[in-house]
Amino acid sequence: MPEFQRFSYDVLVIGAGGAGLRAAIEAGAAGAKVGVVCKSLLGKAHTVMAEGGIAAALGNVDDRDNWRVHFADTMRGGQYLNNWRMAELHAKEAPECVCELEAWGALFDRTTDGKILQRNFGGHRYPRLAHVGDRTGLEMIRTLQDHGIHTGMEVHMECTVLSLLMDGDRIAGACGYDREKGRFQLWEAKAVVLATGGIGRAFKVTSNSWEYTGDGLALAYRAGAELQDMEFVQFHPTGMVWPISVSGILVTEGVRGEGGVLRNSEGRRFMFDDIPDLYKEQTADSEEEGWRYTQGDKNARRPPELLTRDHVARCINREVKAGRGSPHGGVYLDISWIKERMPKSEEHIKRKLPSMYHQFKQLADLDITKEPMEVGPTTHYMMGGIRVDGDSQMSNVPGLFAAGEAAAGLHGANRLGGNSLSDLVVFGKRAGRFAAEFANANGPVTIDEEELQTTATAALAPFDRGPAGENPYQIQYDLQETMQDLVGIVRVESEMQQALEAIGQLSARAERTGIAGNREYNNGWHTTIDIGNMMIVSEAITRAALLRKESRGAQFREDFPNKDSEWGKYNIIISRSADGEMQVEKRALTPMPDELKKVIEEMK
Ligand code: FAD
């Protein structure tokens, strides 16, 4: 019988990105004993990769900004499928959370009069993103870690959670293993916060790192939690397309915020050709006006390159398909052109976008101050995730909370850039507070020892089958190809049906994986575990995308190319039936209070 190392907490936080750390700090401050588990080393979570900034209506650069504008922008960006309560709390609480980071030592870029500087980003009416050059996530993680470590949280690094444990209907903790030695661990807890980030690795081309295999969503689903909005996967318009070995790596929206423009192979700024009605009033009608906007002219409207990500990604896709793409299957993103307008433009670009300068120099031998980049869409962010209560972040499973990218609701059908980092701190903080309250109000849990042993035995089964079993890497690759080709930016019923069939076959193969070697740092073993989670996530995305028979936000259906007002009344919910089948249903949105409706009307 496999042995377990045992730990006991009031609150267990799974994930040490921005959301997890913020939750752990808050739960600790409320007096809870807190454990944090993460798959990689502390400081290596996805959040560290965030570049452009954190959205908060501080109004430092444009004093017309306030929570009402931010709320309306977020709802419009999400095509009104957002959980309005989350959008309201987020807009109201983000400024305070950014100031909190500053008080804990985060060194944001400054205005000339010493306030936190804010930059333009797609879909935000005013300059709203507080930033640290293009390394905002790094500063955020550094700050949260420095602050958090003094609150007494115990961190279990390089540990993968395999399963959530239940005590009747209530959460009782989690079990997993350490990746270094393969030893099993049990983290008993009265409340659990899932902050495991995204799912990008279910697709072939992605900006996400190896960790983002949708574990949290699959763990929650298996434990009985509902998932929501799974059809909405964000394809960021600008990922690197060349060299092929780095394809998918993100090119921050900050490039366009600083004046970068998109052109096709004919040199045309094609984004001016297709401006959605919802944004016509807010979009520049000349290149001149767009440039003035990026340079801070308050009377100018934003250039069409700063329309929402779903739209820009589709426009790029259209140019490439029409044969007007760049040599490696993207389009051109040019920031070097600003030399026509700005003296010392090279220094300016290097100062504003240092990571982008180095990224292209080192990976593609290209100097972005002199030449255009080649870019194309890349799988970037998951709007869908675990369905939670807007105020407390608790799921439908008592004691199970979720925050950050793993949770659904705030972003609806499409997330605005910068709204993730603010999501992490606003809702990480709330999840931590309410998890601590839950732990305080509920007694100890009992661990089901049999369940524990069953989980460990299943995890070790690939060793018993040995190298004769199915190759986990091949299954992962086949799944990524399937999702990329059949459930990507442009979707159609027949292809998604094909994808479902393929996922069924791949899931069956995933049950028969075999591996060689022992439990110490065995990447093959880790992959056998990842693919089980990726199957659940991929099936959920495909089923939700099939059910939503319209195009809205990040979901574009070639067979239903228009938005359908009837579908605008529903979220799609995924859950596990008693017999283990995946169920998909539509559920009516909660009616929005009149005062919030009024805010949206006023901002139109
Ligand atoms: P993450 O930071 O993704 O952390 C997840 C944690 O969960 C990790 O510690 C991981 O180890 C752990 N974990 C996962 N599975 C398990 C498991 N089974 N067991 C144990 N631990 C597990 N957003 C913005 O708002 N502004 C930006 O400028 C911006 N730029 C971005 C640039 C890039 C390149 C990328 C990829 C994303 C960017 N985003 C940006 C999005 C944003 O960074 C992410 O959405 C956000 O950081 C997610 O944070 P999180 O705390 O939810 O999860």
Side-chain angles (χ1 to χ4, degrees):
M1 290 237 291
E3 292 272 305
F4 278 81
Q5 264 184 296
R6 291 170 184 251
F7 305 89
S8 178
Y9 299 107
D10 295 318
V11 176
L12 177 71
V13 179
I14 306 176
L21 288 174
R22 190 63 193 83
I25 289 171
E26 202 62 18
K33 184 179 178 205
V34 180
V36 177
V37 184
C38 52
K39 236 166 145 174
S40 55
L41 291 170
L42 191 62
K44 293 281 180 189
H46 217 171
T47 302
V48 83
M49 294 161 75
E51 295 163 352
I54 174 167
L58 295 158
N60 288 353
V61 172
D62 194 319
D63 57 15
R64 290 171 296 181
D65 204 12
N66 57 54
W67 79 263
R68 298 157 76 85
V69 194
H70 194 181
F71 167 75
D73 285 352
T74 302
M75 293 297 296
R76 187 185 298 108
Q79 307 261 334
Y80 304 104
L81 286 189
N82 324 50
N83 175 328
W84 52 261
R85 177 64 177 153
M86 286 174 80
E88 179 193 9
L89 290 170
H90 169 254
K92 284 180 173 166
E93 294 176 9
E96 179 194 313
C97 287
V98 168
C99 293
E100 209 164 46
L101 287 173
E102 191 188 34
W104 293 345
L107 295 169
F108 290 103
D109 287 3
R110 299 269 146 199
T111 61
T112 44
D113 55 351
K115 293 183 190 151
I116 294 175
L117 182 60
Q118 298 184 273
R119 66 159 46 124
N120 292 311
F121 240 57
H124 293 280
R125 186 178 289 218
Y126 301 121
R128 191 175 282 147
L129 267 68
H131 58 277
V132 185
D134 54 5
R135 295 179 181 137
T136 313
L138 175 65
E139 184 67 356
M140 186 162 154
I141 280 287
R142 185 194 66 74
T143 305
L144 290 172
Q145 253 174 238
D146 281 0
H147 188 79
I149 219 69
H150 301 296
T151 63
M153 62 176 83
E154 284 178 19
V155 182
H156 303 264
M157 282 190 257
E158 296 199 294
C159 289
T160 296
V161 170
L162 286 167
S163 180
L164 296 177
L165 300 170
M166 304 297 290
D167 179 358
D169 288 341
R170 180 188 157 192
I171 204 80
C175 67
Y177 66 97
D178 75 284
R179 298 168 74 88
E180 188 190 355
K181 299 276 185 204
R183 292 167 299 206
F184 287 107
Q185 315 222 338
L186 159 68
W187 304 280
E188 182 187 303
K190 294 179 194 160
V192 171
V193 179
L194 279 168
T196 49
I199 59 93
R201 285 280 149 180
F203 291 79
K204 195 163 115 188
V205 179
T206 178
S207 64
N208 290 192
S209 76
W210 62 270
E211 289 183 80
Y212 301 103
T213 49
D215 297 7
L217 277 57
L219 290 168
Y221 168 82
R222 288 196 203 97
E226 292 175 334
L227 306 180
Q228 174 185 315
D229 298 338
M230 292 297 287
E231 66 275 34
F232 297 120
V233 177
Q234 182 168 79
F235 299 95
H236 192 291
T238 57
M240 289 178 82
V241 293
W242 183 258
I244 201 77
S245 57
V246 296
S247 102
I249 290 187
L250 195 76
V251 181
T252 176
E253 199 163 311
V255 176
R256 284 170 281 143
E258 298 296 341
V261 299
L262 289 165
R263 294 188 198 280
N264 63 18
S265 59
E266 295 163 0
R268 184 174 174 78
R269 269 182 82 177
F270 55 88
M271 287 306 302
F272 274 103
D273 299 341
D274 183 0
I275 299 170
D277 289 343
L278 205 56
Y279 286 95
K280 275 218 161 91
E281 290 295 308
Q282 300 180 10
T283 308
D285 50 23
S286 69
E287 296 194 11
E288 182 57 36
E289 185 183 4
W291 166 250
R292 282 193 283 112
Y293 176 91
T294 63
Q295 299 313 297
D297 180 344
K298 290 184 179 171
N299 297 317
R301 292 167 299 171
R302 63 177 161 241
E305 277 86 358
L306 290 178
L307 284 164
T308 53
R309 290 175 175 177
D310 51 341
H311 181 73
V312 181
R314 271 197 298 279
C315 289
I316 293 176
N317 207 41
R318 187 192 56 211
E319 291 304 306
V320 175
K321 277 198 168 163
R324 296 188 290 267
S326 64
H328 301 103
V331 293
Y332 296 104
L333 172 62
D334 191 6
I335 181 84
S336 69
W337 80 278
I338 68 171
K339 59 180 174 280
E340 294 166 20
R341 308 274 177 140
M342 191 185 266
K344 297 196 177 155
S345 65
E346 291 189 16
E347 283 79 1
H348 178 79
I349 294 168
K350 285 183 196 167
R351 193 176 67 251
K352 285 289 183 182
L353 302 161
S355 299
M356 286 303 106
Y357 175 76
H358 289 295
Q359 184 172 308
F360 275 89
K361 200 78 191 122
Q362 282 165 12
L363 300 177
D365 195 22
L366 185 142
D367 182 346
I368 66 168
T369 68
K370 297 193 170 71
E371 293 168 83
M373 302 156 244
E374 271 187 73
V375 295
T378 179
T379 314
H380 183 57
Y381 184 86
M382 185 52 168
M383 271 71 73
I386 301 157
R387 183 175 168 89
V388 290
D389 170 73
D391 284 78
S392 70
Q393 297 287 288
M394 190 159 88
S395 70
N396 58 305
V397 174
L400 180 62
F401 298 76
E405 194 169 340
L410 171 61
H411 311 290
N414 179 51
R415 172 180 73 98
L416 299 186
N419 268 1
S420 170
L421 292 188
S422 40
D423 172 3
L424 310 184
V425 280
V426 169
F427 294 106
K429 182 175 180 179
R430 281 184 164 266
R433 180 174 122 214
F434 285 96
E437 272 179 25
F438 184 93
N440 204 20
N442 289 277
V445 289
T446 307
I447 297 297
D448 180 343
E449 297 294 330
E450 213 177 298
E451 188 188 348
L452 211 54
Q453 290 304 326
T454 311
T455 305
T457 308
L460 294 174
F463 287 107
D464 301 336
R465 289 188 285 268
E470 290 274 357
N471 179 342
Y473 298 112
Q474 187 62 49
I475 297 174
Q476 185 181 36
Y477 181 82
D478 291 348
L479 179 67
Q480 290 167 334
E481 287 242 298
T482 301
M483 292 303 286
Q484 187 77 31
D485 295 346
L486 305 176
V487 201
I489 294 190
V490 177
R491 297 168 174 173
V492 65
E493 171 133 9
S494 56
E495 291 187 352
M496 288 192 282
Q497 291 293 4
Q498 238 176 291
L500 268 188
E501 219 167 283
I503 294 166
Q505 286 159 7
L506 290 166
S507 299
R509 282 170 58 196
E511 298 284 312
R512 302 192 297 268
T513 49
I515 41 168
N518 59 37
R519 279 152 69 175
E520 291 187 15
Y521 264 130
N522 188 328
N523 211 29
W525 184 34
H526 304 160
T527 305
T528 64
I529 286 152
D530 293 342
I531 55 178
N533 297 325
M534 289 160 85
M535 293 296 165
I536 289 177
V537 165
S538 302
E539 184 181 342
I541 293 170
T542 311
R543 288 197 186 280
L546 263 168
L547 183 61
R548 182 171 291 280
K549 292 186 173 29
E550 66 157 353
S551 294
R552 179 184 295 268
Q555 149 117 327
F556 182 72
R557 293 268 315 238
E558 206 167 33
D559 42 357
F560 297 96
N562 298 318
K563 203 153 55 177
D564 176 343
S565 56
E566 194 48 33
W567 270 108
K569 298 175 185 162
Y570 300 99
N571 292 122
I572 292 178
I573 308 294
I574 302 274
S575 60
R576 193 170 190 237
S577 71
D579 57 4
E581 290 297 303
M582 189 174 280
Q583 316 183 112
V584 53
E585 63 181 286
K586 50 186 206 179
R587 191 171 301 166
L589 304 177
T590 316
M592 191 189 294
D594 288 343
E595 67 264 26
L596 291 181
K597 278 191 197 153
K598 225 167 102 197
V599 173
I600 289 175
E601 278 309 311
E602 280 167 11
M603 299 299 157
K604 269 189 178 154

